[in-house]
Amino acid sequence: MSISKESDNDSLPFDRVTGRVRGSVNMLDIEKNVEWVEVSGRWSRMSIMGTSLTPEILSIENQGEKDERIIIFMIPGNPGNDGFYTDFGRRLIRNLIAREERLGHRRVQFLFYTLSHLNHVLLPAALRCSDSHKVNERFNLGDQIQHKLDFVKEYLPRGNRVYMFGHGAGAYMLLSILPYIKDDFNLRKAVCLFPTIEKMTESPHGIRLRKVVSTLRQNDWLARTLSFWVDLMPESLKRRIISMKLSSDQSPELVDSLSELLHMNVFRNIVHLCNDELDKIGTLDETLLFHKNLIYFYYGANDGWCPIEQGQQMSERLTRGHVVIDKDHVEHSFVFRDAATMAEKVLQFIV
């Protein structure tokens, strides 16, 4: 079920967000498809971006020697809204194309896929009649991991090269599914950005939030009471309130994605998943690192979910170059202020 397709076209001669003049690679048209797809009987929203999104380009099967597609798959953190990564993905594709042009390489097709977590985006009314997926259903960490595995096997193209990224708790999901997918793709790297893969309850944010989210999960009536009123607010009012809290240069997609969190059942799922993560992501599970040759990490210097000490310890476990520690004070939730910076940083992983 296709919901929308959009392009970066604008009637202005310059981009109103970045101020860049059109005609440069920064203004290269990036198409975006947003679709609701059924994954093992449950619906979730998928976003795809690229310079061309024809049926042939999006074909699941590998196209042999003529396959020029490089697939990038991003697993969100929590909250898991695919729209958070639109600005980042768009900038990343443009940066990759610019690099290819500078190096004089043959033209390739970059495709950026993102998938929302189950019930982290409100189901459209037309899909709420499903017997296998209820709008008020809550999904735990195991459910979300299985969901990503099923999606990858069913929908992700087997391109010339595949790179997978996991952000925050999405890194834990990525490492969990890695053993089951690595042989089905020409998977070059599994990259964990600001990875919350261990000792969540001991992290500064985990210590602060543990009691709150535990109380809300155990008392679902309280979570419903605190959040039901937002369902009554017009979407335009939600976006207006959010825009007032953000800087003026934030992308419209980010505002829309934040407003989509303001629904009772979405809020309940965010809380439910967070509590389950705090319960289950404790001492590092060494089996997550079994495929060390494929795994790369990017840690923040001041990350309230994964302190820098974890990055330093991880660098002792893995081969040199597989662990990068940020030096530019990029925030854990980089999609809000540091999308442009991270779109440059991750180029080192896509070769």
Side-chain angles (χ1 to χ4, degrees):
M1 176 179 178
S2 180
I3 301 299
S4 71
K5 178 178 179 178
E6 58 188 50
S7 175
D8 280 340
N9 289 322
D10 197 292
S11 59
L12 297 174
F14 58 88
D15 182 81
R16 64 184 178 84
V17 175
T18 66
R20 295 189 176 108
V21 177
R22 294 187 177 278
S24 69
V25 71
N26 293 303
M27 290 299 103
L28 185 68
D29 284 347
I30 305 297
E31 295 183 13
K32 180 183 177 186
N33 280 356
V34 180
E35 301 179 32
W36 282 89
V37 293
E38 190 172 16
V39 182
S40 297
R42 291 167 171 167
W43 292 96
S44 56
R45 198 172 67 185
M46 169 185 72
S47 294
I48 313 171
M49 289 190 290
T51 54
S52 176
L53 301 180
T54 65
E56 181 182 5
I57 293 295
L58 300 181
S59 172
I60 302 297
E61 294 78 17
N62 183 275
Q63 298 168 4
E65 294 183 359
K66 69 173 185 176
D67 201 323
E68 298 180 341
R69 300 172 300 165
I70 296 178
I71 312 300
I72 302 164
F73 177 48
M74 170 65 77
I75 301 179
N78 185 14
N81 186 306
D82 57 295
F84 284 147
Y85 299 89
T86 298
D87 187 39
F88 167 74
R90 182 185 295 125
R91 292 174 184 272
L92 176 58
I93 292 174
R94 287 178 176 150
N95 290 343
L96 287 165
I97 293 173
R99 186 179 69 180
E100 295 295 302
E101 291 179 351
R102 287 196 305 270
L103 296 175
H105 291 172
R106 66 187 177 91
R107 186 174 181 84
V108 296
Q109 291 284 348
F110 293 101
L111 293 174
F112 184 90
Y113 277 70
T114 320
L115 182 73
S116 63
H117 295 333
L118 290 166
N119 277 3
H120 280 228
V121 179
L122 191 67
L123 280 174
L127 300 180
R128 295 178 194 175
C129 58
S130 171
D131 292 330
S132 58
H133 186 174
K134 301 299 183 183
V135 68
N136 62 350
E137 193 172 356
R138 293 187 297 176
F139 296 97
N140 61 29
L141 180 60
D143 296 328
Q144 301 291 2
I145 291 172
Q146 185 64 48
H147 173 242
K148 306 307 174 293
L149 176 59
D150 293 340
F151 171 82
V152 166
K153 289 189 171 184
E154 192 171 349
Y155 289 99
L156 197 69
R158 277 66 173 164
N160 180 278
R161 301 199 298 273
V162 177
Y163 297 86
M164 296 190 181
F165 288 80
H167 176 212
Y172 187 90
M173 299 181 196
L174 172 58
L175 295 179
S176 297
I177 69 174
L178 184 58
Y180 306 100
I181 59 175
K182 69 177 188 66
D183 295 329
D184 297 333
F185 299 84
N186 184 14
L187 180 61
R188 296 301 183 89
K189 290 175 184 173
V191 185
C192 302
L193 305 176
F194 306 93
T196 51
I197 63 170
E198 60 175 311
K199 301 177 181 176
M200 282 191 66
T201 56
E202 299 176 27
S203 68
H205 288 347
I207 292 170
R208 283 198 294 269
L209 292 177
R210 175 65 175 175
K211 289 185 178 179
V212 175
V213 296
S214 178
T215 298
L216 289 173
R217 186 174 76 162
Q218 293 173 10
N219 300 276
D220 189 42
W221 63 269
L222 179 58
R224 290 173 181 268
T225 301
L226 291 173
S227 58
F228 88 96
W229 61 273
V230 298
D231 283 350
L232 306 177
M233 294 173 59
E235 295 299 320
S236 58
L237 178 58
K238 294 178 185 179
R239 287 192 290 270
R240 191 176 306 123
I241 293 172
I242 291 168
S243 296
M244 292 170 59
K245 300 295 182 180
L246 297 176
S247 59
S248 59
D249 62 346
Q250 295 291 359
S251 67
E253 296 97 342
L254 183 59
V255 175
D256 290 343
S257 299
L258 284 168
S259 70
E260 289 177 332
L261 302 182
L262 300 180
H263 290 281
M264 179 178 69
N265 287 311
V266 172
F267 175 73
R268 291 173 60 238
N269 264 278
I270 293 169
V271 169
H272 187 71
L273 179 59
C274 183
N275 193 81
D276 206 41
E277 291 166 353
L278 289 165
D279 278 347
K280 294 175 180 176
I281 303 179
T283 303
L284 179 64
D285 180 357
E286 295 286 349
T287 63
L288 294 175
L289 306 178
F290 186 76
H291 301 287
K292 292 183 178 181
N293 61 312
L294 293 175
I295 299 170
Y296 291 76
F297 289 94
Y298 191 99
Y299 284 89
N302 300 290
D303 191 333
W305 282 114
C306 42
I308 193 171
E309 292 79 16
Q310 294 182 9
Q312 294 166 342
Q313 293 165 6
M314 189 62 71
S315 65
E316 298 174 0
R317 291 186 174 95
L318 301 184
T319 305
R320 184 177 179 179
H322 281 243
V323 177
V324 177
I325 296 179
D326 177 71
K327 297 179 181 178
D328 295 319
H329 305 288
V330 174
E331 297 180 357
H332 179 93
S333 301
F334 66 87
V335 294
F336 294 111
R337 296 184 180 89
D338 300 307
T341 301
M342 286 305 296
E344 292 282 352
K345 298 283 188 182
V346 301
L347 286 175
Q348 63 188 295
F349 300 115
I350 304 173
V351 294

